[in-house]
């Protein structure tokens, strides 16, 4: 049986909880990030995407021994469909992440040296590919289906001057 004292405590707790919820939605709560922090985060992402663009187009010599770059077969990351990974790939006989597919292409068609799957260069390759596929439906496991094409007039999908390295030589 509840006493009057217990009812009072429950009411106080309920009012306190409601006040806390209200306070969380007011100006007392700090926004997750300041405008300055968001600008720094965006700059870091753009820098990583730009590095990925350069790598995709052949800026790192050890990624190839035959002159091929990712951009030769997948201009602007076309048909790489990073948003469909992880997926089953027959050459592995198992489900793999996108980064493993990137390394397969580097080692096989390009005859180059694998990237460290946890390194900054691999993160940059993923950042570039995923950036160009932003807004596409995430559909892991579609090994035999292609998604709708990405529309990029030229280059990285954002204003960028060609680097002149690898296949990135168009004005």
């Amino acid at each position: 049986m509840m006493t009057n004292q217990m009812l009072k405590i429950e009411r106080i707790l309920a009012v306190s909880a409601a006040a806390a919820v209200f306070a969380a939605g007011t100006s007392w709560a700090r926004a997750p990030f300041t405008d300055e922090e968001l600008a720094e985060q965006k700059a870091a992402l753009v820098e990583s995407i730009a590095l990925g663009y350069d790598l995709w187009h052949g800026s790192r010599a050890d990624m190839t021994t035959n002159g091929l770059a990712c951009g030769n077969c997948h201009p602007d990351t076309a048909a790489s469909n990073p948003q469909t990974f992880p997926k089953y790939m027959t050459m592995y006989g198992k489900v793999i992440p996108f980064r493993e597919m990137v390394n397969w292409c580097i080692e096989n068609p390009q005859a180059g040296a694998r990237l460290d799957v946890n390194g900054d260069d691999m993160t940059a390759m993923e950042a570039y590919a995923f950036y160009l596929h932003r807004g596409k439906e995430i559909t892991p496991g579609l090994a035999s289906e292609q998604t709708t094409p990405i529309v990029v007039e030229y280059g990285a999908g954002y204003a960028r001057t060609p680097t002149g390295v690898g296949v990135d030589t168009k004005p």
Side-chain angles (χ1 to χ4, degrees), residues 45 48-53 56-57 70 74 76-83 85 98-99 102 121-136 150 152 156 158:
L45 177 60
S48 185
I49 291 167
L51 174 59
Y53 174 90
W56 200 271
H57 292 91
C70 301
H74 305 283
D76 297 318
T77 73
S80 65
N81 297 309
Q83 77 284 4
F85 283 86
F98 180 68
R99 52 187 46 203
V102 169
D121 286 351
M122 181 61 79
T123 298
M125 294 283 280
E126 288 181 319
Y128 174 60
F130 279 96
Y131 176 81
L132 289 183
H133 286 81
R134 70 196 180 284
K136 293 289 184 185
I150 56 171
V152 178
Y158 55 93

Side-chain angles (χ1 to χ4, degrees), residues 3-168:
T3 66
N4 281 342
Q5 187 65 17
M6 291 172 76
L7 286 173
K8 287 180 184 176
I9 292 172
E10 281 187 358
R11 284 186 192 132
I12 291 170
L13 290 175
V15 170
S16 297
V21 169
F22 174 76
T26 67
S27 62
W28 298 333
R30 180 187 184 274
F33 300 103
T34 65
D35 288 344
E36 183 179 289
E37 290 168 330
L38 289 172
E40 289 171 6
Q41 292 171 19
K42 183 177 180 182
L45 177 60
V46 168
E47 184 179 332
S48 185
I49 291 167
L51 174 59
Y53 174 90
D54 291 344
L55 293 167
W56 200 271
H57 292 91
S59 68
R60 186 170 156 176
D62 67 340
M63 287 174 56
T64 185
T65 60
N66 56 22
L68 289 178
C70 301
N72 289 102
C73 298
H74 305 283
D76 297 318
T77 73
S80 65
N81 297 309
Q83 77 284 4
T84 65
F85 283 86
K87 67 181 170 185
Y88 183 88
M89 297 302 293
T90 54
M91 70 277 279
Y92 282 94
K94 65 180 184 176
V95 174
I96 64 166
F98 180 68
R99 52 187 46 203
E100 190 57 43
M101 191 68 234
V102 169
N103 269 336
W104 183 89
C105 289
I106 291 169
E107 288 182 309
N108 292 281
Q110 294 173 218
R114 292 175 64 85
L115 295 178
D116 174 359
V117 296
N118 296 313
D120 291 342
D121 286 351
M122 181 61 79
T123 298
M125 294 283 280
E126 288 181 319
Y128 174 60
F130 279 96
Y131 176 81
L132 289 183
H133 286 81
R134 70 196 180 284
K136 293 289 184 185
E137 182 181 356
I138 297 173
T139 52
L142 300 177
S144 63
E145 297 180 31
Q146 294 294 317
T147 57
T148 56
I150 56 171
V151 179
V152 178
E153 289 182 24
Y154 170 72
Y158 55 93
R160 180 138 169 90
T161 304
T163 60
V165 298
V167 297
D168 183 26

